[in-house]
Amino acid sequence: MSFPVQRPRRLRVSENIRRMVRENSLSVNDLVYPVFVCHGSGQAHPIDSMPGICRYSVDRLLRELEEIVRLQIPAILPFGLPNKKDAAGSEAYAEDGIIQQALRAIKKEYPELTVITDLCLCEYTDHGHCGIIRDNYVMNDSTLELLAKTAVSHAAAGADMIAPSDMMDGRVGAIRSALDNNGYANTPIMAYSAKYCSAFYGPFREAADSAPQFGDRKSYQMDPANSDEAIREVRHDIEEGADIVMVKPTLAYMDVIRRVKDKFGCPVAAYNVSGEYSMVKAAARNGWVDEKRIIMEILTGIKRAGADIVITYHAREAARWLRDEL
Ligand code: PBG
């Protein structure tokens, strides 16, 4: 049966009818806000390529988080900038490391805010790679020990969830058993399972000062041309104990989000990354796109693709708009 019996436009005639048949909607509950933390006090350094985003010292970050908590954004994802870097990324698992300090302060001030820690070594190594290097190669198994150690130190400092983003094989299993053996059996793992080797991370590497000093990340992050491989990566992570799996980036990978959701039916997070944010901001600043509409369209599209959780630098502004609409 088709036209004129079928007239799809009938269900678009009014806002109320459109609301009634709407299939997906973005909620503040879906959002995770990434933040950058540095040492010192009173620091707020804007990141040129990411308008609206700063690196904050812990005291200043606490002030910013007041609004995040008020908006009821459920979680933040802090990234740390250490004072010193070395070959083994030792500030990543130091007792007084920047993330450990931030965790203690945040959990004290805002115990109700969920803090998910990105677990990786690239911000802490002097060579900028996500693991231990030997002969210009990122060593898998020796890196696992450091990741497990870092995960335990995050949990001990108050992390509510651990999000490994390094893409070493077997890291979810290694982190799960380290957490379990140290009394953190209830700390969930959100695994960056299908993390692509992407040019969209460019602005983040400026923000987190984590660009590799030689070579690239192609021997550990995924080839953008692949999606069967994403299914295998996700399966491994679930088998090793991941509670939430992630696809990253989003816009060029919407099909991967959908495949993962359909195949596994588990909670799926999608990371709307720095370059995706910067492109929108640049176009909006030039007056080329309607900023609010384009951001809400992107975030709703990520949900429609199958994500339950959207990690985005737009979280704060999107939450403000969603609250205004209530
Ligand atoms: C750490 C990490 C990166 C991002 C999140 N965790 C950078 C990278 O893999 O090079 C990127 C986030 C973004 O671009 O917003 N490995």
Side-chain angles (χ1 to χ4, degrees):
M1 228 182 318
S2 60
F3 181 80
V5 177
Q6 283 296 338
R7 283 183 185 271
R9 291 182 58 195
R10 267 183 219 125
L11 295 183
R12 299 180 197 135
V13 289
S14 74
E15 179 54 17
N16 278 347
I17 294 178
R18 290 192 294 271
R19 280 171 54 204
M20 289 163 70
V21 300
R22 186 161 292 148
E23 298 174 33
N24 292 284
S25 59
L26 182 71
S27 143
V28 174
N29 299 336
D30 306 324
L31 302 172
V32 174
Y33 189 47
V35 295
F36 298 98
V37 207
C38 61
H39 285 281
S41 63
Q43 308 287 315
H45 303 289
I47 296 151
D48 287 344
S49 55
M50 299 178 73
I53 304 294
C54 294
R55 300 170 173 181
Y56 294 109
S57 52
V58 174
D59 58 325
R60 285 285 285 104
L61 178 65
L62 292 177
R63 269 161 55 193
E64 296 298 318
L65 294 183
E66 196 267 326
E67 188 190 13
I68 301 302
V69 171
R70 186 158 37 82
L71 288 167
Q72 294 180 339
I73 293 175
I76 59 165
L77 180 70
F79 292 93
L81 288 117
N83 269 343
K84 61 175 179 28
K85 302 185 186 227
D86 58 28
S90 54
E91 285 289 296
Y93 38 90
E95 167 74 20
D96 62 349
I98 183 64
I99 288 295
Q100 289 77 1
Q101 286 186 33
L103 276 165
R104 286 189 288 264
I106 296 165
K107 292 310 294 184
K108 184 160 174 243
E109 190 90 3
Y110 306 108
E112 70 279 33
L113 179 66
T114 295
V115 185
I116 307 171
T117 51
D118 180 272
L119 176 58
C120 197
L121 298 178
C122 62
E123 296 111 280
Y124 304 91
T125 51
D126 50 13
H127 45 71
H129 278 287
C130 305
I132 299 288
I133 302 280
R134 194 186 302 156
D135 301 330
N136 283 349
Y137 186 74
V138 178
M139 301 299 290
N140 197 86
D141 300 12
S142 39
T143 299
L144 296 184
E145 289 164 37
L146 299 184
L147 292 170
K149 198 163 145 179
T150 308
V152 172
S153 95
H154 285 182
D160 297 293
M161 194 183 294
I162 308 289
S165 70
D166 51 283
M167 289 300 277
M168 297 301 116
D169 294 334
R171 90 272 208 220
V172 174
I175 293 164
R176 184 70 274 157
S177 56
L179 289 172
D180 290 358
N181 293 337
N182 285 277
Y184 303 108
N186 279 332
T187 303
I189 296 177
M190 175 196 275
Y192 287 68
S193 303
K195 179 174 177 180
Y196 287 89
C197 189
S198 172
F200 286 102
Y201 309 150
F204 174 94
R205 292 184 188 168
E206 178 206 329
D209 186 25
S210 66
Q213 299 303 301
F214 66 89
D216 52 41
R217 302 208 202 287
K218 287 183 184 159
S219 80
Y220 45 107
Q221 298 181 345
M222 282 179 51
D223 182 339
N226 298 348
S227 93
D228 289 344
E229 187 187 8
I231 299 298
R232 295 197 296 273
E233 283 281 4
V234 169
R235 183 179 295 119
H236 293 153
D237 285 358
I238 292 173
E239 283 169 2
E240 289 175 34
D243 302 280
I244 300 172
V245 295
M246 193 196 301
V247 175
K248 175 185 175 192
T250 57
L251 299 182
Y253 302 90
M254 293 290 207
D255 58 320
V256 180
I257 298 173
R258 170 50 57 195
R259 276 191 77 181
V260 168
K261 186 65 188 177
D262 285 348
K263 179 92 186 168
F264 299 100
C266 65
V268 175
Y271 198 142
N272 177 223
V273 302
S274 58
E276 299 176 314
Y277 175 87
S278 301
M279 292 194 311
V280 167
K281 290 289 169 185
R285 286 194 157 189
N286 277 298
W288 294 339
V289 292
D290 178 329
E291 184 171 16
K292 176 179 171 184
R293 282 190 59 203
I294 212 163
I295 291 169
M296 295 315 250
E297 186 173 334
I298 287 171
L299 300 181
T300 305
I302 295 170
K303 285 221 58 197
R304 192 198 63 243
D308 303 283
I309 297 168
V310 185
I311 304 168
T312 178
Y313 303 95
H314 296 296
R316 187 202 294 231
E317 56 199 352
R320 284 183 194 140
W321 294 324
L322 289 165
R323 294 277 171 226
D324 286 350
E325 280 166 18
L326 293 179

